[in-house]
Amino acid sequence: RVGLIQGPPGTGKTYTLSWMALAYLQARMAADLPCRTLVTAFTLNAIANLLEAILDKSQRYLSQHIDISYLGNPPPGGLSSGIHHVPLRGRSPFKDAFHQLEKKHVIAGCSIWSLNKIISNMDDQLSDGPTARLFDLVCIDEASQIWEYLLLRA
C-alpha cells in the first residue's frame, strides 16, 4: 500500500510520479470510482511542478477534462492557467477548499501546513480531530527532504 521512488536529482522521479497519479486517476474513472489525489512536497514550487506535469500529460493524452487544484499560498514561481488556485484566506476560504475536495475526481496540491488548516476547519462529521479520510491517493514528491526537515527540527 506504500511505494517509494528513490534516486538522485534529475532521474525522473517527478516525471514518474506524475504518470502514476494520472494513470491511477484514469483507472478509477474507468471503473466509475471516485479518485481524490493529494499532491504535496517540501516546497511550494515542487508541488506546482508536479501538478503542472500532471496537467501537461492530461491535456495531451486524456480526452476528458480533469480538475487540478492548488490550495493555499501560491508558489513563488506561479501556477499554469489550467490549475485552479484556491487561496486559503478571504471570505470563505475553507468552503472553497472543501468544494474542490468533494468532487468525484480531483487532483489537489497543497503544503502539509495548508492541509492541516483545511482539516482543522472541517465540520466535525467529516474529520476526526487532526485527521480526515479525504484522499484515495497521496503523492509526496521530495519526501526525503520532508523527512530530513522533520529530523532536524526534532
Side-chain angles (χ1 to χ4, degrees):
R1 300 195 48 119
V2 174
L4 174 67
I5 301 171
Q6 196 171 14
T11 56
K13 296 178 299 296
T14 300
Y15 175 84
T16 302
L17 193 54
S18 66
W19 273 116
M20 291 172 64
L22 195 58
Y24 186 76
L25 174 71
Q26 183 69 19
R28 299 275 298 189
M29 290 172 82
D32 197 32
L33 295 170
C35 185
R36 293 173 193 92
T37 300
L38 170 68
V39 169
T40 191
F42 184 64
T43 67
L44 302 181
N45 280 334
I47 297 167
N49 289 342
L50 184 50
L51 288 176
E52 288 172 6
I54 294 168
L55 174 65
D56 178 58
K57 290 169 183 59
S58 71
Q59 290 174 336
R60 284 188 193 188
Y61 302 108
L62 295 184
S63 58
Q64 70 272 33
H65 168 77
I66 61 168
D67 287 311
I68 300 177
S69 297
Y70 184 95
L71 313 174
N73 293 331
L79 294 166
S80 295
S81 61
I83 298 173
H84 178 72
H85 179 223
V86 180
L88 296 180
R89 59 178 176 259
R91 222 174 46 142
S92 58
F94 299 106
K95 181 180 176 185
D96 295 341
F98 299 145
H99 175 69
Q100 289 300 312
L101 299 177
E102 288 176 336
K103 293 180 179 180
K104 187 172 182 178
H105 302 109
V106 66
I107 295 178
C110 67
S111 70
I112 56 172
W113 310 115
S114 292
L115 181 60
N116 183 50
K117 284 185 198 176
I118 293 167
I119 293 173
S120 297
N121 285 280
M122 289 182 82
D123 184 320
D124 289 341
Q125 294 176 332
L126 300 174
S127 70
D128 181 19
T131 65
R133 291 184 177 262
L134 293 175
F135 303 104
D136 303 295
L137 177 66
V138 175
C139 299
I140 305 171
D141 202 2
E142 299 183 355
S144 64
Q145 291 181 7
I146 293 173
W147 181 249
E148 289 169 17
Y149 174 78
L150 294 173
L151 285 176
L152 290 174
R153 295 199 41 112

